[in-house]
Every structure is written in structure tokens, then in C-alpha cells.
Amino acid sequence: MTTIGAPVSTGTEKAAGGWITADGRTIGEIMMEMRNITLRFGGVTAIEDISFDIRKGEIRAIIGPNGAGKSSMLNVISGFYVPQEGEILFHGAQRPPMRPYEVARQGIARTFQNIALFKGMSTLDNIMTGRMTLMRTGMASQALWWGKAQAEESAHREAVEKIIDFLEIQTIRKTPVGRLPYGLQKRVELGRALAAEPKLLLLDEPMAGMNVEEKEDMSRFILDVNDEFGTTIALIEHDMGVVMDLSDRVVVMDYGKKIGDGTPDEVRNNKEVIDAYLGVAHD
Amino acid sequence: MATENPPRGELCSIPALLERNARRHGASPAYREKEFGIWQEWTWIAAAEEIRAMALGFLALGLERGDYLAVIGRNRPMHYWAMVAAQMCGAIPVPLYQDANAEEMAFVLEHCGARFVVCGDQEQVDKVIEVQEHVHCIEQVMYTDKRGMRKYDHTHLNWLHDVQAEGRAAHQRLETELDARIAELGYDHICVMLYTSGTTGKPKGVVLSNRNIIETARHSSEFDHLTHTDDVLAYLPMAWVGDFIFSIGQAYWTGFCVNCPESPDTMMTDLREIGPTYYFAPPRIFETQLTSVMIRMEDAGKLKKRLFDHYMALARRVGPEILDGRPVSGMDRLRYMLGDILIYGPLKNTLGFSRVRVGYTAGEAIGPEIFDFYRSLGINLKQLYGQTEASVFITQQPDGEVRSDTVGVPSPGVEVKIGENGEVYYRSPGTFVEYYKNPESTAETKDPEGWVATGDAGFFEEGTGHLRIIDRAKDVGKMADGSLFAPKYIENKLKFYPDILEAVVFGAGREMCTAFINIDLSAVGNWAERNNIAYASYQELSQHPRVIETIQAHVEEVNRSVAEDAMLSGCQVHRFLVLHKELDADDGELTRTRKVRRKIIEQKYADLIVALYDGSKTIHTETEVTYEDGRKGRIAATLDIRDAAVSTPRHSRMAAE
């Protein structure tokens, strides 16, 4: 009997600087490294002396109970917060304090916990705004739709249409996003982040407030983005089931400190992590 | 016609027609598909080149004469091309329903022994991989959509574009062979094999020859004067005979353009953008469209609403007359023209029917209000009656003789007769060759003289010569008191209410009729929203007292109208219940073409039927359901059973007096 087309499974092998996962993806060298990051807001320490790295091609999750400092961590990566201590290395070079748009130009895109779309604009236009950092022609020629701006817009539109196709949202192409259900708005937001053709994609609770079916869809899209475009993904998520299924490695935070780091299995058996999640009293 | 066409002998296969179209209509569009938000177009010359490349690719992969090539996917040019390319190689295309689950798919693939399978996307490839545990005939799998396929073992798996590229590269080596195979094709070669959805038992493979398809396409195209400038939207399942006749048979015979939607969900938008001139839809689609128009009008402003109501009343009065060319007063004509500018035109445009010259509906009875609505707008909607075994056409309505309660006169070239038991028989050039590997069923259905039993009971109307269908012949039965029992007749009357999606009537051999009702979630849900009725699930909504009251009113209204009919007045529904789940093809309760499977429903809900007849007020029940991914679950519910008022038939009242 010939079995046709079954997915190839190579098992976990350590490769130089990285490894190949059970489902055949290559995890490469270190893309971003956090060294001893500390972030304070006045007297409150949101993040205390945290170090971890994100490798090229992996799905890296940051988990932890409420108030653990996950979103702050993501905001540090995206350049929204500047940590008081510690350094961030991007592609091996130290990253100076940057404004968010400068970080975006480096190839880092993100979605937000509370959807931050332009409610009155269509899905298509919202995703188009994600291409902002890639547009080269000036405002005047764009407004007049003259010269290079024409060709440029066509090229961007093509890229956006590919994303619409990829996320299967053709039906809502022209619908104002304010009228869309929550799950679809989340998908449009992912689309806008993808439009920037990021090397590193930051997802802040992509499944929050979704029902099981929407979660399954979103998980599928996250895996597909990672697989098809080779995008490195760092995500924050509450749903443990989702995190354990999706991610290659997990950082666990609690009260601003890192209490665990490793593969989902390692993390799941880590005593400190279990305590944090089952609610052992802190002294 | 005769002077324009070359001798018919040359045009006796779909590939031959393709070659002619490339010659005669070369620059006119053959296929369009919306992709990445833009309509991509292929002319007949371009399509012929693509198909030829694919056929060469199939040869390179070893497709042999007489092989079966299964196609599983949504309507896309690539999939139509794969079918024609298979024919070029002397193989037989077998389109499958893409929503078939792995088990149903396994049966068909094994039954026809498909060596080659063309899949639309990863989902279908996964299903094929799954069925390979039991089905070992498959040697090559191809797919159209590359997404998610990168990590699969490609030893026997190919992207269709790669197959074409390989075909193009190997054209010098394989062209002679391909041309020889195309030249062999004749009228008696098999054109396609289509599996009937089978209201009873396993699906049967209906073998249709080139003669069946091409003769039918020729007759029906001439009947409606179709030309190469027409446009159709291909959105109905490719495994359904209608799609094969419209999108391949008639399209290749006349050379018109087949338009494929971007995705199944965008069908309505795409319909509007294309504005087909020739359109086919089952009653369900017309019903959904009408429902959505009415719901939106409910929410419209006062002025708009009044304009709409005023002009729709006018349209109902004079619209059908104007369409049929019957005399209408000059004033009404003028008013209708104004209405066309203000209401009908924009409405038709919204619905995508601005350009429709010929529209057909079939498969089920269509509600008279729905039918009249479209006709009053000036859309030439007609009915036809047909089945897979007849290559669709048995009867159809000629222009100017259209009514909602008949299915028309015999199509050109078709002979129809009514058997002693009332069953409809037909004989035509489109009559199928046989059921594949099933001589018993073939012999049961088709007699040696070529007459085929339709399984439907009907009669010819006196005066007009139009055929009227009452019900499935085997479902027409007798009630305990000997009166006629025709469940479908009652069910259709019930289903004409927008609130009711599906109805199943019982009563053969019993004292009285009873019914299961399925509510229509979109219509009832909208009603609930407007009336501030909260509900958490389909089940809860279906059992809401006010919903049941509404349904009861509908049932009683149907009873009154049934009572008028002397023959069928015994079929009034005495008791009914509203089902807690939607009848579904995944649970085997409906066929893939959404026809009720009576036997299965009777077995599955035996407890409910008992309760309908033993006088109980409520019944607790548990039902197994299958989710789309094949997992099974159970839902429990307590259902209300209601008594519905029945009317005394007028004729028996008269007898009593």
C-alpha cells in the first residue's frame, strides 16, 4: 500500500545554533535578546531583572497570571516603554532607546489586547494602513495619485489582497470594521500587522474574549503565518491550552519576575509555575 | 444553425467543442474567477492552452484510457479544466461533493476505483489521505491551493500548476499521444460519472455519455436561445448534474463564459458584480434572498418603505403580465416604468439580477409568493423538472407559459408518459447509460425500451399540457381510512413560510397526519431580535412558546388550504412539534442536496413519532449529532407537542348538508 502525501515528521534534531521542530520547521539563531530588563513605574516595579531570548522562526509565548508584567514586557519589546535597566539586542546589536515607529521600521509589528483599529474604515483600508512604513512616495503625490504613487498603490494593494486571501476575509473586504464581530476584528488586526511584512510579530492576547471556534481559527492562522511567511512570533496569552499547543518555548512571569523558561512540557512540570497558577500564597 | 455548424460527427466530445470554441470564439472570455479582489479572465484560446497543458501533465503522470479521475473542490476554473483534461486523456471525470465526509468520500472513491484525485485545498487532501486507510486504488493526488501543503510528502502529490508546467515541458514527447486520444473520442464514450446523492441507500454512479451531455446541451441551449455572449455564475456543487450541464455542457456548446466566485461566502457580492444573463438557483437561494430583502426593508425609513410597498403592489398586479407580453393598460405600463427607475431596477441590481435573461429554479417546489416576487420585478424566472439520470432536463417552462405550480412541458427531444400508478416516465437522448457496477438498479430504473422511471408521481394538466408533480411515488401512500397521503405536498406548503426551514409529515397507514417542523434560524432569529425575545441557542429559540404559537398559526393556515383540495383533505396536520435541532446532512437526515431522508428520520426520532400519536403534551428526548469535523455529541431536550385545529373539508360539508 502506498500512502500519499502524509505530512513529513523528522522529529526534534538540534541543528547549528538552532533546531528543527517535530513538525519540520527550522528554529534559527537568536533574533532578539533581553538582558536583565527592569522596568519601573514610579515606585512600582513592573518587570524585575528579566532575561530571555527570541529565536528566528519560533513561536515564543509569554504567560503568567494577571498583573505579572506580560503586557509591559511586550511594550518593552515594541519600544513603547523604555526600561530603566538592562539592554535589548536585536540581531546581535544593541538597540538604543527607540520610538515605536522606529521599532516598526526595524520589522517589528504588533496587535493590541484591546483592538485598536480605525472603526469607520473598511477592512481593506485598515490593512492598507499597515503598509505605511513601507510606502516611499510623498504625501502630495499620494494625495494626487500621480506619478510613482499609482504604481506603488497597486503594489501595496496586491500585497494587502494576498493577506485578505490568506486570512479568508474576502467577504468583509469593504465592510467598516466597526460593524464586524469581535473575532473578525481581531483577524483584521492580525492582517494589519502582517501587512507591514514583519520579521517579528508581537501578539497581545490574540484569543482574549473569543469562543472556542474563533480560538481554533486564530490558532490556525498563527501557525500558518509562522509556517508560510517564516515570521517569528512572540505572543501573550491567558488560555493555557492554546499556549501549550502553539508555542515552541514559553517564558513564565509572575509578579514581574521570570519563574520559568523552556518548552511547554518543561514549563508544565515546573513547580514554581504550578504554584503561580494554582495560587500558592506569596510571603 | 445547420449552416453554421460543421458536420455533427466532429463535435462529439467536450474536447472537440473546446477546440472549436478556441477557433470560433477565441478572443471572447471562457472563464473568469475572482482572485485577490480582481476578476481574472481566460479567453477560449487561453483556456484551451491551460487545459491542454494539464492533459499533457496527466499523461506524464500516467493517466490511462478508462481511468477515473475524481475532482473534489469548489467551483474553480482549474477544476473544470481538470475534468476536460481528463476527458482528453480518455479518462472519466468524477466530481465529488466537497462537503462529503471522509466516509462518504471513501465509498465513492472505492466504487469507481479512482487512480487520480484532484483536490481543491489542504482540507480535501487531508480527507483523501484519511480514506487511504481503506481505499487503496489512489495513486496520484493533485491540489489547486498551495496553502499549508508545503510540509506534505510530495512523492505522489502534486500542485496542479506544477502538473501543467510538466505537461508544457513534455509537450513534444506526449503531444502525438494526446492528439490520438482526443481523436478517439466519440458519442458513445463516457463523458462524466456523477454520483446521485441517494435519498435511499448508497450513492449510485450515473454514467453519462458524450451523446447524453452534448445532445442535452444542444437542445436546451436552443430552447432558451443561449449564445456565446451569455454569462453564468458557477456556484452550485460541481458534483451536481446541473452544474455539469450549465458550466460544461452548455458553456462548451454555445461558448458562453463561466464565472467562478472568489469564495463560497462572497457569492452574493460576486453575483452582483458579474450580473449573469443566465442563472440557476434552487428555491432555497431565491427564498434566502427574498428574506434578506424583506428584513432590510423592515429596517428602512418610512418613505422608502412606503415607496417599496406601493410599487411592489403595482408590480404584483401587472409585472408578470408585462413579462409575458400580455395586454396591460398604458397607464399601468407608465407606472411600471417609473417603478422600474425607482424600485425594481435598483433592487434587481442589488440582487445581481439586472442582466438576467433566463433564470431557472428546480429541485424543490418554489413558494408561489417567492416565484411571483421575482417575476413581478421583470426577472424571467422559470421552473424546470429534471434529474441526474436525464442529464437534467425532463420538462421546462417555455417563455410566456410560466406558473409556479407546474414544471412545464416536455423539453425538446424528451418523451414523457404517466404510468398506471401515476409515476412519471421519460425517454430522451439525455437518458443515462447505466449505473456504474450496478446492473440491478439500472434494470429497475430503465426498461429495455429506454423509459426511465423518475420515482415521482404527477399528472399532465388538461388544457395546457403542463406537468404537475405531486410527490415521490413511493412516498405517496394511503392513510388508514384509505384517503390519499402525499407528505411532500403538505411539507412544501409549510416550507413556503419563511419561518419554517424544513418540515416532515407522517401519516401513511395512520388515522391522522402529524409533523416535525424545523424553524429557520435567520428569519425567526431576526423576528426574535425585533420583538426583544432573548435566547441562548437554537434549541431554546425553537421551543419558545411564542415561536411555537406562530408555527401553530402557520400549520392551521395550511390545514385550511389543504381542506380545499378534495383529493388531499385527509392530509391535514393534527399534531406537530418543533424539532430542537436543524436536520442536517452530516447526521444523514438530509441528502447533500438537502432533501429529506424520511426513513432515517423515522428511525432516529421514533420516540418523537410515538409521542405525536399517543396524545402526550411533552416529550423528553436525546439526539446524537455529528459536528462538521466528524466528532459526535448528544443533545437533550424536552419538546412541546401541540394540537393544531383542522378544517372540515368543504366537499364533505356539502355532502353532510
Side-chain angles (χ1 to χ4, degrees), chain A residues 5 8 23 166 173 224 227, chain B residues 147 150-153 262:
Chain A
V8 187
D23 56 351
F166 183 82
R173 185 184 282 128
D224 281 352
D227 190 36
Chain B
R147 174 149 179 209
R150 203 164 50 83
K151 287 186 313 236
Y152 285 64
D153 169 13
E262 186 169 23

Side-chain angles (χ1 to χ4, degrees), chain B residues 64 66-70 83 86-87 90-94 190-193:
Chain B
E64 291 297 334
D67 275 349
Y68 288 85
L69 177 139
M83 293 210 278
Q87 291 173 340
I92 298 138
V94 186
I190 301 172
C191 182
V192 66
M193 186 153 90

Side-chain angles (χ1 to χ4, degrees), chain B residues 98-370:
Chain B
Q98 55 165 341
D99 57 352
N101 59 36
E103 193 186 323
E104 293 165 335
M105 197 183 266
F107 173 81
V108 172
L109 290 175
E110 177 131 62
H111 188 256
C112 69
R115 278 182 66 217
F116 282 55
V117 182
V118 170
C119 295
D121 55 16
Q122 187 187 9
E123 184 187 340
Q124 308 298 348
V125 173
D126 283 346
K127 273 197 263 180
V128 172
I129 291 173
E130 190 185 330
V131 304
Q132 277 183 82
E133 282 175 28
H134 312 290
V135 183
H136 307 314
C137 52
I138 304 162
E139 288 173 27
Q140 290 287 346
V141 178
M142 286 155 276
Y143 57 88
T144 318
D145 190 347
K146 230 179 166 168
R147 174 149 179 209
M149 295 302 305
R150 203 164 50 83
K151 287 186 313 236
Y152 285 64
D153 169 13
H154 275 65
T155 332
H156 298 276
L157 187 66
N158 281 290
W159 188 31
L160 259 183
H161 288 275
D162 288 342
V163 174
Q164 285 182 308
E166 204 174 334
R168 285 189 181 103
H171 78 100
Q172 284 198 317
R173 176 160 54 92
L174 297 168
E175 225 155 30
T176 348
E177 169 74 9
L178 185 67
D179 287 331
R181 290 208 196 175
I182 295 172
E184 285 166 16
L185 297 173
Y187 246 17
D188 292 317
H189 277 87
I190 301 172
C191 182
V192 66
M193 186 153 90
L194 300 160
Y195 278 82
T196 56
S197 45
T199 32
T200 45
K202 289 281 181 198
K204 288 179 278 194
V206 179
V207 175
L208 295 173
S209 66
N210 284 326
R211 171 178 289 111
N212 295 152
I213 297 295
I214 294 174
E215 285 291 311
T216 305
R218 183 168 69 90
H219 283 307
S220 52
S221 304
E222 284 168 12
F223 186 86
D224 283 313
H225 316 292
L226 302 174
T227 70
H228 73 278
T229 54
D230 279 308
D231 270 296
V232 293
L233 186 74
Y235 67 99
L236 289 159
M238 288 184 64
W240 177 65
V241 65
D243 188 61
F244 194 84
I245 286 289
F246 301 135
S247 305
I248 292 200
Q250 294 181 336
Y252 279 67
W253 178 263
T254 60
F256 63 61
C257 178
V258 175
N259 300 279
C260 299
E262 186 169 23
S263 78
D265 307 328
T266 58
M267 183 259 174
M268 285 298 161
T269 324
D270 299 333
L271 177 69
R272 210 163 97 193
E273 287 174 0
I274 284 299
T277 56
Y278 177 48
Y279 180 65
F280 182 93
R284 187 177 292 268
I285 296 216
F286 288 111
E287 210 178 302
T288 319
Q289 280 190 303
L290 176 59
T291 311
S292 80
V293 168
M294 287 309 176
I295 289 172
R296 279 171 70 179
M297 282 319 297
E298 288 293 325
D299 297 337
K302 273 218 178 80
L303 177 71
K304 277 189 196 161
K305 179 98 175 71
R306 279 182 59 185
L307 266 178
F308 179 77
D309 290 343
H310 174 78
Y311 280 106
M312 282 319 294
L314 174 78
R316 265 191 294 278
R317 195 157 52 82
V318 301
E321 267 73 29
I322 291 176
L323 189 61
D324 287 346
R326 285 197 288 273
V328 172
S329 79
M331 198 58 210
D332 278 343
R333 248 175 224 283
L334 212 63
R335 285 203 195 113
Y336 190 85
M337 274 165 69
L338 189 62
D340 198 39
I341 297 169
L342 290 172
I343 302 286
Y344 320 139
L347 182 57
K348 277 193 281 187
N349 189 22
T350 311
L351 294 169
F353 293 154
S354 291
R355 299 204 303 148
V356 169
R357 215 159 46 74
V358 186
Y360 274 111
T361 176
E364 291 276 335
I366 186 164
E369 305 82 47
I370 301 165

